[in-house]
Amino acid sequence: MLQSTDNPIGTDIMKPHKKGNIFIISAASGTGKTTLVSRLLKNNADLRVSVSHTTRQPREGEQHGVHYHFVPKEEFESLIKQKAFLEHANVFGNYYGTSIAGVNSLSEEGYDVILEIDVQGAQVRKSLPEASSIFILPPSFEVLAERLIGRGTDSEEVIQTRLSKARHEIEQSVLFDYIVVNDDLDRAEADLLHIIKAGRLKKSSQQGFISNLLENS
Ligand code: 5GP
């Protein structure tokens, strides 16, 4: 693996040499979280997203192992029994869960790992005290409603359910470390990247670099 002792925050052309940080990203649905995470992944080679398991049906264009691990309910319930998940939740009638093995292996490889999960799943903060949590807010409820309708993927009934849950979800934002308002995709992406880069600058993330510096003094 490449060592980047002369550059402790890593760059897009080098894999970081240390264990990666974990970022929990949540939002009310329709806030643009998935779009923002896709942009971050495209533009930052040191970043990976944990691919969740779900029992919901794939939407058009979604691939198994890329967007989700799509599994039958029986398999998901068996994984719960095996304690394979860091957290799992029932969202709109389907199971979703974050695999412990998946997150650990990415972080051990030195990638910063994003857990893109719903507000219930963000309870995972208790089991991952070292992770940073970020909540993405819509600029207004009107914009949130327009985005959900414009997506065209969900039925009217699902949209109404999502909207009525949104207020309660947004109230939970006070429990997160960082708040990013998605009124402009470029700006919100830049804000997220600042948070991720600041994580790389934490002293806890730089112990390897400090030891190396002192050893070679
Ligand atoms: P969708 O079905 O639209 O892809 O996702 C529905 C909700 O489930 C979103 O808020 C999404 O972030 C959330 N979700 C995706 N993966 C996980 C997971 O592993 N755990 C939890 N708790 N929620 C998840």
Side-chain angles (χ1 to χ4, degrees), residues 20-208:
N21 295 314
I22 298 173
F23 295 90
I24 299 160
I25 303 190
S26 286
S29 51
T31 309
K33 174 179 53 149
T34 305
T35 308
L36 281 165
V37 170
S38 307
R39 286 171 71 140
L40 282 171
L41 292 173
K42 199 168 144 216
N43 300 328
N44 297 278
D46 295 343
L47 210 51
R48 291 286 183 275
V49 71
S50 152
V51 178
S52 297
H53 285 63
T54 184
T55 56
R56 85 151 161 75
Q57 290 302 308
R59 296 189 185 121
E60 208 182 319
E62 285 185 332
Q63 288 171 274
H64 179 75
V66 176
H67 298 91
Y68 283 104
H69 298 290
F70 295 99
V71 295
K73 196 171 168 220
E74 299 67 40
E75 188 177 333
F76 198 102
E77 286 173 343
S78 154
L79 288 167
I80 296 175
K81 283 200 191 113
Q82 293 166 44
K83 302 200 186 308
F85 295 119
L86 206 48
E87 62 77 38
H88 62 88
N90 193 309
V91 186
F92 306 118
N94 289 301
Y95 280 128
Y96 292 81
T98 308
S99 135
I100 296 175
V103 173
N104 282 349
S105 75
L106 287 170
S107 168
E108 294 293 342
E109 282 176 58
Y111 293 109
D112 285 336
V113 187
I114 293 180
L115 308 187
E116 188 195 336
I117 51 188
D118 87 311
V119 178
Q120 303 176 58
Q123 300 302 331
V124 75
R125 281 171 300 143
K126 287 184 197 138
S127 4
L128 287 174
E130 75 284 9
S132 299
S133 56
I134 308 170
F135 197 90
I136 304 174
L137 287 175
S140 68
F141 270 91
E142 288 72 25
V143 170
L144 183 59
E146 277 166 26
R147 284 186 192 155
L148 284 174
I149 295 162
R151 225 159 49 163
T153 50
D154 296 314
S155 65
E156 173 66 33
E157 196 191 338
V158 171
I159 289 172
Q160 285 311 322
T161 313
R162 286 183 195 267
L163 274 177
S164 61
K165 272 189 85 180
R167 179 172 294 278
H168 171 68
E169 289 174 335
I170 289 168
E171 280 166 11
Q172 305 296 309
S173 63
V174 290
L175 302 172
F176 286 69
D177 298 320
Y178 298 94
I179 303 292
V180 170
V181 179
N182 184 17
D183 50 356
D184 174 86
L185 273 177
D186 288 333
R187 220 194 48 206
E189 182 189 354
D191 285 349
L192 288 170
L193 199 52
H194 285 132
I195 297 166
I196 291 164
K197 294 223 162 170
R200 292 177 196 163
L201 295 170
K202 271 189 178 170
K203 76 176 172 210
S204 54
S205 296
Q206 302 208 59
Q207 286 309 318

